[in-house]
């Protein structure tokens, strides 16, 4: 075989962009030479041949590169072919005799783009724990599992936009910096300016001090809902999908200080319509993932949660269950077991209760609705009286949480209080300054309509779809109390 390393000196190898390995793996063997770039996962030497596994992040599967050690320059080159090194390989795509791959690339030239010192490169061939990988957030996407998470996130994200665009929704970019605490739970990160130790730059005004930058205290959004309501009441159906921040000091496997939330908001919609949309959305996302998730999904099914794909199939193809909060409380009493948090009407459901209800009682996705008003935020619509359950007017709200097995709460939403007087009373009772929320109340003064929406925690969705035990693996750069790497 004629081999050459002359290719190594060619200056323009990166123009145009090289084909992706996911595409190459689908191509038939061909005469024409291909150039492929990626990072070396493993190398195996056998006699006069070396087998390289090259991965470029486009798929779980790597491309096998066959290198004959007679290749010109091999003596020098082979020392640089270490795990983690970045390479560009030119070669011919030939049928592969190896199991599990149709083709492999017979190298005619290899160019090292970036060496990786094998003594210090932290990713070795063995399996690393997720805890260890969290200490190298900048390198962990090069592993099989975290690489697959990134592709699954991307797939779900595209499917979300597809779903809403098909349904006539408009995406609205709600602000990250806000002066209103939507959930009223006191979990907002406050922001201010940093005071330079060197004083203002010559010719520049000093920044407005600390919290006064906006003329009032501001923070990072805990939800884009209130602003989404503004656009729902002008554009009918909208959604916002972006980073959301909560300063809750909870070091759990389900909470992050920064996470992504998807929030649709619909005018002319009530609680039932809201739940219909949430169910249709989740079923669409799961079906899309099952169709397109391929080898990535299979990886999680094999190594992380056995039966994952069956679970997703099951959820995607069944009608979701519904229970009113009062019924849920009755079921928890009936369960006849001792929960860590004793069950009583009026309490917020804890993870242990949520998981019992969806994992054991109904064994599938479950909407719990009509929670007590005292445990839900001011914007939720007060329910009419319900004599059959002994409930007075306004004792419960038109809220819904969607609980799913393994996770608990995946979605939280409600019909919104559209009646000006009722909303004002509710806000005053919650201790909110009505003057600060004048804009929100205006939406009820001018052309108010029944409307509803919900928030879906994107990382919890990724957890549900992969079986990952800890939410910190479901986001590229996890932020939690005491931790914000990169
Ligand atoms: O139930 P939550 O707090 O609802 C809201 O914020 C509403 N304003 C949404 C709306 O109606 N537009 O949060 C919604 C979802 C939860 O069900 C959960 O999946 C996720 O956001 N979530 C978190 N995910 C990760 N880390 C946290 N700290 C989270 N807090 C909530
Ligand atoms: Mg909630």
């Amino acid at each position: 075989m004629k081999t050459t390393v002359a290719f190594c000196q060619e200056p323009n190898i990166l123009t145009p962009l090289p084909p992706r390995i996911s595409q190459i793996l689908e191509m038939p063997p061909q005469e024409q030479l291909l150039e492929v770039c990626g990072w070396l996962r493993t190398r195996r030497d056998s006699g006069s041949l070396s087998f390289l596994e090259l991965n470029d992040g486009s798929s779980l599967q790597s491309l096998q590169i066959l290198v004959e050690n007679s290749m010109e320059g091999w003596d020098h080159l082979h020392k640089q072919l270490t795990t983690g090194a970045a390479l560009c390989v030119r070669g011919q795509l030939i049928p592969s005799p190896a199991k599990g791959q149709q083709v492999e690339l017979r190298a005619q030239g290899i160019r090292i783009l970036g060496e990786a010192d094998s003594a210090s490169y932290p990713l070795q061939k063995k399996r690393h724990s997720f805890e260890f990988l969290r200490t190298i957030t900048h390198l962990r996407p090069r592993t099989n599992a975290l690489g697959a998470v990134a592709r699954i996130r991307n797939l779900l994200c595209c499917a979300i936009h597809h779903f809403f665009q098909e349904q006539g929704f408009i995406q609205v970019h709600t602000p990250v910096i806000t002066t209103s605490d939507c959930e009223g739970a006191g979990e907002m990160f406050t922001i201010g300016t940093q005071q330079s130790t060197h004083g203002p730059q010559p010719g520049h005004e000093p920044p407005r001090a600390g919290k006064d930058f906006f003329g009032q205290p501001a923070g990072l959004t805990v939800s884009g809902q209130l602003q989404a309501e503004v656009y729902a009441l002008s554009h009918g159906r909208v959604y916002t999908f972006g980073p959301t921040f909560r300063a809750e000091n909870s070091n759990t496997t389900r909470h992050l200080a920064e996470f992504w939330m998807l929030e649709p908001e619909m005018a002319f919609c009530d609680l039932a319509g809201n739940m219909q949309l949430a169910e249709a959305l989740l079923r669409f996302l799961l079906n899309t993932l099952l169709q397109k998730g391929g080898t990535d999904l299979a990886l999680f099914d094999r190594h992380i949660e056995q039966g994952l794909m069956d679970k997703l199939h099951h959820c995607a193809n069944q009608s979701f269950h519904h229970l009113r909060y009062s019924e849920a409380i009755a079921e928890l009493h009936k369960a006849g077991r001792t929960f860590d948090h004793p069950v009583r009407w009026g309490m917020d459901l804890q993870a242990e209760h949520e998981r019992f209800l969806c994992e054991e009682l109904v064994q599938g996705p479950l909407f719990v609705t009509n929670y007590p008003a005292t445990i839900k935020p001011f914007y939720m619509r007060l329910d009419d009286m319900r004599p059959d359950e002994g409930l007075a007017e306004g004792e419960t709200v038109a809220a819904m949480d969607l609980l799913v097995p393994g996770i608990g709460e995946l979605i939280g939403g409600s019909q919104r209080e559209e009646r000006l007087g009722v909303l004002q009373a509710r806000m005053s009772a919650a201790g909110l300054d009505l003057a600060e929320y004048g804009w929100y109340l205006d939406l009820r003064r001018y052309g108010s309509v029944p409307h509803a929406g919900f928030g879906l925690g994107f990382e919890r969705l990724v957890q549900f779809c992969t079986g990952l035990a800890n939410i910190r693996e479901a986001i590229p750069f996890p932020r939690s109390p005491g931790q914000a790497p990169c």
Side-chain angles (χ1 to χ4, degrees):
M1 183 175 74
K2 183 174 174 289
T3 56
T4 171
V5 282
F7 154 69
C8 301
Q9 276 81 51
E10 288 177 20
N12 274 337
I13 54 158
L14 296 180
T15 312
L17 285 174
R20 302 286 273 159
I21 285 175
S22 56
Q23 299 169 321
I24 294 177
L25 289 168
E26 300 293 319
M27 289 180 184
Q30 50 192 268
E31 287 284 303
Q32 202 189 336
L33 293 186
L34 288 176
E35 282 171 18
V36 51
C37 299
W39 292 266
L40 186 56
R41 280 287 175 87
T42 60
R43 167 179 157 192
R44 180 169 59 84
D45 298 326
S46 169
S48 63
L49 296 175
S50 288
F51 298 91
L52 313 180
E53 292 293 326
L54 198 68
N55 193 286
D56 67 353
S58 61
S59 76
L60 183 68
Q61 212 182 336
S62 299
L63 177 66
Q64 177 159 286
I65 314 281
L66 179 69
V67 193
E68 303 207 5
N69 300 167
S70 56
M71 175 186 271
E72 196 183 322
W74 176 251
D75 285 349
H76 182 64
L77 195 61
H78 86 101
K79 294 190 199 105
Q80 298 169 303
L81 288 175
T82 55
T83 299
L87 323 178
C88 193
V89 183
R90 173 181 285 179
Q92 196 189 0
L93 203 60
I94 57 171
S96 173
K99 222 175 106 202
Q101 58 193 25
Q102 303 287 323
V103 288
E104 60 190 31
L105 197 75
R106 187 196 299 165
Q108 294 200 2
I110 297 179
R111 174 178 156 127
I112 307 285
L113 298 176
E115 291 181 42
D117 172 28
S118 57
S120 61
Y121 188 58
L123 294 174
Q124 298 304 323
K125 202 177 169 191
K126 65 174 187 157
R127 199 182 282 184
H128 298 288
S129 72
F130 285 131
E131 288 75 15
F132 168 71
L133 292 176
R134 258 177 246 145
T135 67
I136 47 166
T137 331
H138 56 300
L139 294 173
R140 70 177 188 165
R142 298 186 191 187
T143 62
N144 278 344
L146 273 294
V149 172
R151 285 184 297 273
I152 285 180
R153 271 185 80 98
N154 178 60
L155 206 162
L156 288 170
C157 191
C158 290
I160 282 171
H161 288 293
H162 183 81
F163 177 87
F164 283 108
Q165 295 298 321
E166 288 287 300
Q167 305 261 341
F169 280 68
I170 285 176
Q171 186 187 8
V172 176
H173 300 107
T174 50
V176 167
I177 298 176
T178 177
T179 51
S180 36
D181 178 358
C182 172
E183 294 305 292
E187 290 170 349
M188 200 149 103
F189 285 102
T190 53
I191 54 171
T193 52
Q194 207 168 28
Q195 296 303 300
S196 167
T197 46
H198 308 296
Q201 299 255 320
H204 286 261
E205 283 283 310
R208 294 181 64 164
K211 288 181 182 165
D212 287 339
F213 190 93
F214 298 103
Q216 58 182 311
L220 302 179
T221 185
V222 295
S223 161
Q225 176 198 321
L226 302 188
Q227 292 87 354
E229 283 186 57
V230 171
Y231 275 77
L233 295 187
S234 61
H235 288 68
R237 291 179 208 177
V238 301
Y239 66 106
T240 178
F241 184 23
T244 309
F245 308 86
R246 303 241 169 136
E248 55 193 329
N249 197 5
S250 44
N251 248 315
T252 78
T253 56
R254 305 271 178 270
H255 291 90
L256 290 164
E258 176 179 313
F259 62 100
W260 280 63
M261 205 197 314
L262 165 68
E263 297 179 272
E265 192 68 34
M266 292 85 68
F268 320 113
C269 181
D270 60 11
L271 183 63
N274 202 17
M275 288 190 284
Q276 262 176 25
L277 185 89
E279 179 169 342
L281 168 72
L282 191 57
R283 289 166 65 159
F284 175 79
L285 296 180
L286 299 184
N287 278 316
T288 306
L289 184 64
L290 285 162
Q291 276 165 23
K292 300 188 178 167
T295 47
D296 287 328
L297 210 49
L299 173 91
F300 292 105
D301 194 308
R302 204 164 49 245
H303 296 296
I304 306 290
E305 181 182 340
Q306 274 166 22
L308 173 74
M309 275 147 91
D310 288 344
K311 174 190 85 176
L312 298 180
H313 255 294
H314 186 62
C315 289
N317 295 307
Q318 68 171 240
S319 296
F320 295 1
H321 297 265
H322 293 248
L323 274 184
R324 296 167 55 79
Y325 171 88
S326 299
E327 294 168 328
I329 292 293
E331 291 294 345
L332 290 167
H333 279 306
K334 265 199 264 170
R337 74 174 60 176
T338 316
F339 292 102
D340 291 342
H341 301 84
V343 177
R344 57 168 181 84
W345 200 98
M347 67 163 192
D348 206 357
L349 296 184
Q350 303 296 318
E352 55 174 342
H353 308 126
E354 295 179 339
R355 295 189 60 171
F356 167 79
L357 293 169
C358 63
E359 289 170 18
E360 298 185 46
L361 186 71
V362 308
Q363 297 174 9
L366 166 70
F367 284 109
V368 177
T369 64
N370 309 94
Y371 285 77
T374 46
I375 57 169
K376 290 292 185 186
F378 68 90
Y379 55 73
M380 294 191 176
R381 191 180 198 280
L382 291 184
D383 285 327
D384 296 340
M385 69 158 89
R386 181 103 192 190
D388 55 327
E389 286 179 15
L391 294 171
E393 185 175 337
E395 214 169 331
T396 57
V397 283
M400 61 96 160
D401 276 3
L402 179 68
L403 315 180
V404 295
I407 303 291
E409 181 190 337
L410 173 66
I411 287 177
S414 74
Q415 186 172 337
R416 318 306 187 191
E417 185 54 78
E418 85 283 14
R419 299 163 294 185
L420 178 64
V422 181
L423 182 60
Q424 283 169 322
R426 193 90 201 283
M427 291 171 79
S428 299
L432 296 176
D433 178 354
L434 297 196
E436 276 180 25
Y437 286 85
W439 62 274
Y440 189 68
L441 291 167
D442 267 359
L443 301 174
R444 277 72 181 169
R445 280 192 188 101
Y446 310 117
S448 185
V449 296
H451 63 288
F454 62 82
L456 175 151
F458 189 58
E459 285 71 26
R460 291 195 188 174
L461 174 68
V462 173
Q463 267 192 293
F464 181 63
C465 291
T466 55
L468 285 166
N470 197 315
I471 198 165
R472 292 171 206 187
E473 271 66 74
I475 189 163
F477 301 98
R479 271 89 179 89
S480 53
Q483 283 185 325
C486 296

